[in-house]
Amino acid sequence: LKPFWLKGAANLQCRFPPELAHAMVRVKAFELRSKTSKELLKELDEMKSELSQLRVAKVSGGAASKLAKIKVVRKNIARILTVYNQKQKAEARKQYQGKKYQPLDLRPKKTRAIRRRLKTEQKYAKTQKQKTRTSNFPMRRFAVTM
């Protein structure tokens, strides 16, 4: 299988047939989730070193199979980082659960206007004077008869 070239706006891009790309070993996200943070970091280092070796092979005119592997390794690195960051965030959420204050990135995003809006209990809170006035002078009820 030989690579084919695509003319892009900026430069030429080398693409490989899909059969060649699927031959590479893809890291599955569900398998990564079962690993610990240390194992994930170790695997990340291995992938990064493999990527650097593949880039050296690309510069020195390596085999087509090595060039096709670059994309797969990059996607694997992204998958590992995603799972690692999700684990970190889940641990942080567990740590701050039930606390009065949470870090900004753990709070619900919503919109700026919603975040600045009064909470419902603040919105309907009444002073003692207002409570007294409403109890002493309730709304009048009118019965219209025809």
Side-chain angles (χ1 to χ4, degrees), residues 89 91-97 99-109:
K89 200 153 197 177
E91 285 173 22
R93 280 191 198 284
K94 203 180 289 179
Q95 185 182 352
Y96 283 99
Q97 194 174 18
K99 298 276 193 329
K100 187 176 180 183
Y101 297 109
Q102 282 188 336
L104 294 176
D105 60 335
L106 295 182
R107 295 178 195 175
K109 179 89 164 79

Side-chain angles (χ1 to χ4, degrees), residues 7-21:
K7 288 185 179 176
N11 57 354
L12 291 172
Q13 291 182 325
C14 182
R15 295 279 178 203
F16 292 91
E19 306 88 44
L20 193 63

Side-chain angles (χ1 to χ4, degrees), residues 34-62:
S34 61
K35 295 184 178 181
T36 63
S37 295
K38 285 183 179 180
E39 289 173 340
L40 285 174
L41 289 174
K42 186 179 173 221
E43 194 163 338
L44 182 67
D45 286 337
E46 290 170 7
M47 285 287 174
K48 283 186 176 180
S49 63
E50 187 179 348
L51 182 63
S52 64
Q53 289 169 1
L54 290 171
R55 285 190 172 144
V56 168
K58 180 184 174 184
V59 171
S60 61

